[in-house]
C-alpha cells in the first residue's frame, strides 16, 4: 500500500452544510465618486449625493462601479454635472462637483498619493 492510499483510507467524509449566497447590490461607496465624497465630506455632501445615486436605475449604478478608461473621464463628469445639477441646491452641487472633478484630475494625471 502506498502513502497516498493510506491517507485516503483515513479521510472520512464530514457532514455537509448549506452556505448562504448573498446578492451584493451596487453601493455608492463602490464608485470612484462615492469614495472621494465620503473621504472629503462624509457629513455634508456625501449623504445627499448618495440619495441621488440610490434613485438611479440598477444598470446605471452598476456601470458607475467601474472606473472610467482613458478618454471616458469627460463623459463621466458631464453625467454627474447633469445628474446633480437638478437634484442638489447650488452650494451642495458646487461642493460635490468640485470634489469629484479634483479627484478626476488626479486620476487623469496619475497622481494618487
Amino acid at each position: 500500500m502506498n502513502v497516498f492510499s493510506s491517507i485516503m483510507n483515513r479521510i472520512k467524509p464530514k457532514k455537509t452544510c448549506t452556505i448562504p449566497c448573498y446578492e451584493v447590490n451596487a453601493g455608492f461607496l463602490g464608485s470612484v465618486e462615492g469614495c472621494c465624497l465620503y473621504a472629503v465630506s462624509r457629513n455634508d455632501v456625501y449623504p445627499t449625493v448618495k440619495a441621488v445615486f440610490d434613485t438611479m436605475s440598477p444598470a446605471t449604478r452598476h456601470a458607475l462601479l467601474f472606473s472610467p478608461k482613458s478618454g471616458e473621464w469627460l463623459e463621466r463628469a458631464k453625467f454627474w454635472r447633469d445628474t446633480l445639477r437638478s437634484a442638489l441646491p447650488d452650494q451642495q452641487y458646487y461642493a460635490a462637483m468640485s470634489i469629484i472633478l479634483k479627484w478626476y484630475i488626479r486620476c487623469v494625471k496619475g497622481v494618487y498619493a
Side-chain angles (χ1 to χ4, degrees), residues 7-79:
I7 292 172
M8 291 305 292
N9 289 336
R10 284 190 259 154
I11 296 175
K12 305 271 188 228
K14 297 190 179 206
K15 182 180 174 184
T16 61
C17 63
T18 303
I19 299 173
C21 178
Y22 297 100
E23 181 178 334
V24 179
N25 295 326
F28 188 48
L29 283 175
S31 68
V32 173
E33 299 79 13
C35 290
C36 69
L37 286 170
Y38 185 79
V40 176
S41 67
R42 87 180 47 148
N43 296 324
D44 299 329
V45 178
Y46 171 79
T48 54
V49 178
K50 182 185 180 309
V52 172
F53 178 83
D54 291 340
T55 63
M56 295 177 186
S57 70
T60 303
R61 287 186 297 196
H62 181 68
L64 289 172
L65 294 181
F66 302 96
S67 296
K69 295 180 177 83
S70 180
E72 296 176 348
W73 292 96
L74 181 61
E75 290 302 315
R76 184 118 166 203
K78 287 178 181 178
F79 168 80

Side-chain angles (χ1 to χ4, degrees), residues 11 28 40 50 69 73 81 86 93 98 103 109-111:
I11 296 175
F28 188 48
V40 176
K50 182 185 180 309
K69 295 180 177 83
W73 292 96
R81 178 195 64 193
S86 61
Y93 167 74
S98 173
W103 189 253
K109 287 183 175 181
V111 181

